[in-house]
Every structure is written in C-alpha cells, then in structure tokens.
Amino acid sequence: MIERFSPPGTISLMYIETPAPPHTAWPEQALCAETGADFFFPEPGSSVREAKRICGMCAMRSACLEYALANDERFGVWGGLSEKERLRLRRAHQQT
C-alpha cells in the first residue's frame, strides 16, 4: 500500500540506506527478557521492588543502566533504578 503512494524505487532505497542499529546483545541475555515487562513498567504508584530484585541478580545490570542513561529512558526500571533514581543520578553527574 505504501509503495502505491511513494515514488518508484524509494521504498527499497530507504531500506538499503537505513543504518543498522549498534550491536546490543545484552537485552537478550538479561533476566528481564525471561520475566516480562509488567515488573519493569508498573502502573504509576505501584511497587518496583520485584523489578529491582530481579535486576540485582542480573549480570547485564550495568549495561542496562548505561543504555538507559545514554538514551534518556524516562519510564520503567532500568539497571535496577527507577525513573526518579535515574533522574537523581543524571543531576548529580551534571553537577560534577
């Protein structure tokens, strides 16, 4: 359907010229990949205790936190830290 409204050849051209995302194998190895997003993206006001417990056992925790900080993830638990905790960490880093 999109091809009908696009100039001939542009769809395949866009696909070829789209840069590949950087290799990030850590999500596949992280414990959250086996658990499900409900723990890590709870409803507002819900506890993040279980997500933090899972993160505490995960070997990919530091890579996850680094990713969240580098990509300004604003929702959910990443690398064992909540949104508010990551915000405090960013602010503390900016002051130094």
Side-chain angles (χ1 to χ4, degrees):
M1 195 69 159
I2 294 172
E3 292 174 354
R4 183 173 150 204
F5 299 106
S6 302
T10 57
I11 298 296
S12 60
L13 182 62
M14 285 190 292
Y15 178 75
I16 293 169
E17 292 180 358
T18 303
H23 178 66
T24 52
W26 67 264
E28 298 160 5
Q29 300 170 15
L31 289 178
C32 60
E34 302 170 15
T35 308
D38 293 346
F39 289 115
F40 301 94
F41 296 94
E43 294 294 321
S46 298
S47 174
V48 295
R49 184 179 311 147
E50 188 63 22
K52 288 182 170 195
R53 185 183 71 75
I54 294 167
C55 289
M57 297 183 293
C58 184
M60 299 294 113
R61 181 179 177 187
S62 61
C64 177
L65 180 57
E66 185 178 316
Y67 172 86
L69 293 172
N71 292 284
D72 198 24
E73 290 290 346
R74 303 220 175 177
F75 301 99
V77 175
W78 292 80
L81 299 182
S82 68
E83 299 99 337
K84 290 179 183 179
E85 292 166 327
R86 289 192 310 277
L87 180 60
R88 276 182 280 201
L89 186 62
R90 268 193 225 92
R91 286 180 179 164
H93 182 68
Q94 289 173 350
Q95 292 176 356
T96 58

